[in-house]
Amino acid sequence: MSHEGTIVPHYTAAHWGIREVEGTELRHWSEDPFPSRIGLDQLHPHLQRLRVKRPAVRASWLRETSRGPNARDPQEPFVEVGWDFALDLIAGELERVRGRHGNQAIFGGSYGWSSAGRFHHAQSQLHRFLNVIGGYVRHVDTYSLGAASVMMPHVVMPMSKLMVQQSTWPVIAKHTRLFVSFGGVPLKSTQVSPGGVGKHRASEGMRSLHASGAKLVNIGPVGDTLECEGVEWIPIRPNTDVAVMLALAYVINEEGLHNVAFLRDYCVGFERFRASFTGEDGGAPCTPEWAESVSGMPAARIVTLARELVATRSLINMAWSLQRGSHGEQACHALIALASVVGQIGLPGGGFGFGYGSMNVIGSDGGSLRGPTLPQGRNLVSEFIPVARLSDMLLRPGETFTYNGETLQYPDIRLVYWAGGNPFHHHQDLNRLQKAWQRPEAIIVNEQYWTATARRADVVLPATLPLERDDLGYSAREGHLVAMRKVAAPLGAAKHDYEIFQELAERLGARNQFTEGLSASDWLRRLYGECREANPEAELPEFDDFWGQGMVMLDDDVEPQTLLEAYRRDPIAHSLETPSGRIELYSETVANFRLDDCPGYPSWIPPHEWLGSSSITPEVTFHLLSDQPARRLHSQLDASEYSLGGKIDGREPVDISSVDAQRLGVNTGDVVELWNDRGRCLAATRVTDSIRSGVLRLSTGAWLDLDSDGRDRHGNPNVLTLDVGTSSLAQGCAAHTCLVNLRGPIKNPPEVRAFDLPVLR
Ligand SMILES: Nc1nc2c(c(=O)[nH]1)N[C@H]1C(S)=C(S)[C@@H](COP(=O)(O)OP(=O)(O)OC[C@H]3O[C@@H](n4cnc5c(=O)[nH]c(N)nc54)[C@H](O)[C@@H]3O)O[C@H]1N2
Ligand SMILES: Nc1nc2c(c(=O)[nH]1)N[C@H]1C(S)=C(S)[C@@H](COP(=O)(O)OP(=O)(O)OC[C@H]3O[C@@H](n4cnc5c(=O)[nH]c(N)nc54)[C@H](O)[C@@H]3O)O[C@H]1N2
Ligand SMILES: [Mo]
């Protein structure tokens, strides 16, 4: 696509925002009120140094004469090879595995965020390719919303709808008088939306809510997650929010303040739910005193907060992080149940919110389209795993697991193909994954950078950056469609994932099914054209005009949006997609699954590991929160100036309360070692008053840097986290449930080597 020579505005889009482009320099988009600083130096030499520049094959794997398990030592040298050699090798492996074991021996789930851009989305390209050659074992759900994606549809609505139907920020700012948030509204997380942020609206939204004089309450172990003045922070133990929610419901019910009409007309199962929290059904009652003993929130404050919730227009928000822990399903159910007892769901500024502060898209009033999407074709393999059961799948072929009421079997995987994700960033208990990762016969990775996953592959193929290709930028409710025009030539021998799969498809006799005879630029025209036809009301310009003008801004939603307003107006005409058509405070469906770790009503179940457990030594044991990083997206761009600027002497900071720091004799900058039965890592202490005593925060995304003893030198929390599903219902990621011990300060700590390159021959 060549429009060179014409001087037109030039934009590109990333998950963290739209950029204006001049030459190869990226700048903030002038219309974004709160632009993010992530990724501005993506083309600079310190990041380009870490790129995969040529196809590379693990030396020992290349020598092997027959395929079997391989240690996949990340320190082992790679041999750089030509494209034809690498592609022939991979095509041969795909043939061999398909012929001998069938396509159900190929894992192509390939979870990960990839880059923004609708056509060159690595995971979609991989899935389309694997489908034309007969299919692959896929994953379901996400690390983000593992428990919620399964639980919310039983209780209220599918996550896909909840993502975009939540009350918009202007409605909240205008009507909400009391905003209570479990997990705060960490604006650092609202820098991104999958597919790209247009305007950073959450920051604006929080600002106007604060300016409206609403009372703001932040309940959770971390105090800096609601960045406004005058916020009341109630520090509680991690993973105990459900106990607080149940006690709030208990007080409201005891005092007769529950909304009887709402519970009768819009919900099912209140009686059953009530019997559980009052103790009528034989369990322990969820009194404020009980909740205090679990969470540490003072019983007296639980009582007053319960009264405040019903006395004024209140919105109860919950960060997604609460369901990314042991029994995360319960947090989802309890949030909806508490909001139903309060009875303001469907009223402007009232009810519940899920993820204000988890991404920019939540509460955004940006315009939406039926967006451009690459057709994936049909997968002939039916086997799948819940996304976070990766190590279990590789370690336990043939064994059974449960998922959403079904009993299923782990497939026997021989070949893994990953494009656009970094499991050695995102998965829990990375030492366990490293063992599981040895079992397949071949692991192929398309990557832009020498990530921890690339270093553990057998064949690594160099992929282009979005800045090195033309694409379409679009994300629901972000309000834009961006002509992402190429900014720079591909580095080294890098190819687009589309080209890579096209050439593999050719070798496997499926080129035409994969490409449909279209080049990459033909595809952009086709996807744009389909989008234009599907959205006549948006009056999108012709492709060439769009491409020339650089961007289309959709009209912002002028209509203020209140979640479930229509349902409240008419619960029959707008009945929900749950089995009863109503909000289910007791779910027969879930109850009938008969799971001992997920009952039909919301319940607080002690997490696998937590600070209230009687088996811990409080002086040395901490609850480790591994939240999303403020200065990068997951592991992406960890070597950028902005991300490095947040480290201390090149090491990731771990936040510790001043009380604990004093007790242990550590100061900001001291290197400490965090350890448990699963692993060990070093991190640089950062002393703060914004974290509850007994809790540590080490954000995710520091590139894995294991020394020869298996200790991570850089500060990667996933060597410590727990690799167990949220429950046998959803089997989601439970990263926020993790106890560790701390020792230090460590004298003469080793240098961080995370950004060394592998030996390339
Ligand atoms: N402890 C803990 N762990 C967590 C979480 C947590 O809260 N705590 N959160 C979890 C969550 S919610 C998520 S979403 C995951 C995120 O996990 P991931 O999405 O796997 O993390 P990223 O670092 O974004 O990995 C994307 C990779 O794709 C590569 N890539 C980008 N564009 C392209 C492309 O065009 N082609 C190819 N071939 N590759 C490309 C990037 O270089 C990068 O290595 O982490 C999870 N892990
Ligand atoms: N800058 C940046 N933004 C991101 C991302 C990124 O990598 N970088 N990743 C994006 C992705 S993929 C996702 S899924 C979202 C995730 O969005 P969230 O899940 O909301 O993000 P987290 O940072 O994991 O957690 C938010 C806050 O909840 C706190 N928390 C953890 N456990 C508990 C608990 O048990 N109780 C309470 N009350 N609080 C708890 C954490 O310490 C943290 O301060 O973020 C997105 N935003
Ligand atoms: Mo996520």
Side-chain angles (χ1 to χ4, degrees), residues 434-468:
Q434 186 139 299
K435 286 200 194 86
W437 199 252
Q438 299 181 359
R439 305 197 56 160
E441 295 159 8
I443 298 184
I444 298 147
V445 169
N446 293 4
E447 245 301 344
Q448 301 162 333
Y449 298 95
W450 276 108
T451 61
T453 301
R455 294 185 69 144
R456 286 163 177 79
D458 300 319
V459 188
V460 184
L461 300 179
T464 48
L465 305 178
L467 299 170
E468 296 166 347

Side-chain angles (χ1 to χ4, degrees), residues 571-626:
I572 308 295
H574 298 279
S575 67
L576 304 178
E577 290 172 49
T578 57
S580 61
R582 303 208 216 162
I583 299 172
E584 303 215 349
L585 308 192
Y586 178 78
S587 162
E588 288 282 349
T589 312
V590 174
N592 286 338
F593 294 156
R594 306 203 178 284
L595 308 170
D596 52 14
D597 54 0
C598 190
Y601 51 83
S603 166
W604 185 77
I605 305 170
H608 285 284
E609 313 184 339
W610 72 296
L611 289 174
S613 157
S614 55
S615 60
I616 64 166
T617 323
E619 301 80 60
V620 290
T621 306
F622 290 84
H623 192 120
L624 180 73
L625 296 177
S626 45

